[in-house]
Amino acid sequence: MSSLICGSLAYDTIMSFPERFSESILADQLHNINVCFLVPSMRREFGGCAGNIAYNLKLLGGTPYIMATIGMDGEPYLERLAEQDISRRHIKTIKRTYTAQAFITTDKNNNQITAFHPGAMSLSHENKIENTTGDNIQLAIVAPDGRDGMIQNADDCARLGIPFIFDPGQGLPMFNQEELRHFIEIATYVAVNEYEGEMLAQASGWSLAEIASKVKALIVTCAERGAVIYENGEKFEIPCVKAAKEADPTGCGDAFRAGLIYGLTNGKDMLTCGRLGSLMGAIKIEYFGPQSHKMTAKEIADRFEKEFGYRY
């Protein structure tokens, strides 16, 4: 079953500073800061919401079509997607800029300093959903991306009759009340984490209950407390699946959304969709990086059955 994954593709450069930032920054000189952190550990990961969601969806046996923009340095990402047998046909290369990139430095107290360059992501509106009409798309997700691209993709999904999940994520502050209300009114589902849910309620001027009443389902992930799904006046509590180890939370939300999408496109009830999302988040957290975990669809199904007592 085909799904359209609208969102970002990015490179994440992750560095570790073995000391504390606070010991290298003079509090009384913040107005005149000039510091250098020696980072003996560094790794580069493939990331971005669209890439992460598609990777997890492919593990489950789904058919993701990524709709995203990359820059002049995007060839390694395209090669990786080819290795994963993930379609690249709706990824547009913008040769006048770089691929979106995050540079993240973490100190020994897990404090982080991040620099983010949006690059080609800011030009996501140059890609068009009309080009996907022959792919029998059952469901789309409008995940964090360039502002204009998110607006365009949501409007085009609605115009073309493609049901979609609105997933504003870290892009939520880019939109005003009128724009957020428009997203919600034309979306089929809304997916947020707990903090984003509160932000969305405040920024839209609608309570979570009001938002839930305007879509088929509102999905709110709550980290170690699992998730809550509001559907047709019902509230489903989704337990958190305990991970074998907690290596790295980066990309857990995207893994959850892949489980949700797989369930929805395969006709599963919302409780099963939420449970599958919870399981995928647990699998992801056991590995460093958002796309380094490797399991077969059967292994995932077996683990689901062991966790919940039935086969999805």
Side-chain angles (χ1 to χ4, degrees):
M1 303 298 182
S2 300
S3 305
L4 185 64
I5 317 299
C6 305
S8 61
L9 292 176
Y11 294 121
D12 296 334
T13 300
I14 302 170
M15 298 160 282
S16 296
F17 179 55
E19 306 299 330
R20 297 180 178 88
F21 292 142
S22 59
E23 295 171 348
S24 301
I25 299 174
L26 300 176
D28 61 347
Q29 292 294 312
L30 293 178
H31 65 289
N32 190 34
I33 194 167
N34 187 354
V35 297
C36 176
F37 301 111
L38 179 65
V39 288
S41 172
M42 185 184 85
R43 67 182 193 273
R44 196 185 199 203
E45 304 280 0
F46 295 97
C49 294
N52 296 343
I53 293 170
Y55 178 82
N56 284 279
L57 190 53
K58 188 68 178 180
L59 292 182
L60 283 160
T63 305
Y65 287 92
I66 295 174
M67 184 171 166
T69 46
I70 58 169
M72 64 181 83
D73 56 342
E75 191 59 33
Y77 212 138
L78 294 176
E79 291 174 358
R80 172 178 169 78
L81 293 172
E83 292 170 1
Q84 303 295 326
D85 194 27
I86 296 174
S87 174
R88 301 167 294 166
R89 75 171 75 174
H90 302 306
I91 299 173
K92 183 179 178 66
T93 298
I94 310 292
K95 293 187 177 180
R96 61 184 184 274
T97 187
Y98 290 100
T99 300
Q101 301 188 43
F103 301 87
I104 306 164
T105 304
T106 306
D107 74 359
K108 68 185 299 182
N109 285 356
N110 285 325
N111 296 308
Q112 290 186 321
I113 296 176
T114 300
F116 182 73
H117 172 65
M121 190 185 84
S122 297
L123 301 171
S124 59
H125 56 281
E126 294 190 13
N127 219 352
K128 306 294 182 183
I129 283 184
E130 279 88 348
N131 298 330
T132 72
T133 53
D135 294 318
N136 192 28
I137 301 298
Q138 283 191 291
L139 178 70
I141 182 168
V142 176
D145 205 350
R147 180 184 185 280
D148 293 343
M150 291 181 71
I151 292 172
Q152 174 180 281
N153 291 339
D155 283 339
D156 285 350
C157 280
R159 178 172 53 82
L160 295 170
I162 302 172
F164 75 94
I165 301 168
F166 174 48
D167 173 23
Q170 64 266 34
L172 202 153
M174 296 189 296
F175 306 106
N176 61 34
Q177 182 183 82
E178 181 181 353
E179 290 164 338
L180 289 171
R181 288 189 170 194
H182 179 64
F183 276 121
I184 294 165
E185 287 173 332
I186 64 174
T188 315
Y189 306 93
V190 171
V192 289
N193 65 30
E194 197 170 22
Y195 181 76
E196 293 160 357
E198 291 302 317
M199 283 185 63
L200 181 59
Q202 291 184 22
S204 68
W206 288 335
S207 67
L208 289 181
E210 289 175 307
I211 294 172
S213 71
K214 298 177 185 298
V215 292
K216 288 187 70 171
L218 168 65
I219 302 95
V220 183
T221 58
C222 306
E224 70 277 359
R225 291 185 289 105
V228 179
I229 298 179
Y230 303 88
E231 181 190 34
N232 295 328
E234 293 188 76
K235 179 180 178 180
F236 298 99
E237 301 278 353
I238 309 298
C240 179
V241 174
K242 185 171 178 56
K245 60 179 180 179
E246 295 186 11
D248 178 13
T250 307
C252 283
D254 295 328
F256 184 102
R257 281 148 180 75
L260 180 70
I261 291 169
Y262 183 85
L264 290 171
T265 54
N266 284 275
K268 307 302 178 183
D269 61 88
M270 192 55 70
L271 187 60
T272 298
C273 293
R275 287 172 171 172
L276 187 53
S278 185
L279 173 62
M280 292 304 294
I283 291 171
K284 205 303 325 149
I285 205 172
E286 296 170 356
Y287 297 81
F288 286 103
Q291 297 181 29
S292 59
H293 49 297
K294 297 178 181 179
M295 293 185 73
T296 66
K298 182 181 183 302
E299 288 171 335
I300 296 171
D302 289 344
R303 188 161 169 181
F304 183 97
E305 185 175 17
K306 182 178 179 181
E307 184 72 31
F308 298 106
Y310 67 99
R311 207 84 176 167
Y312 63 77

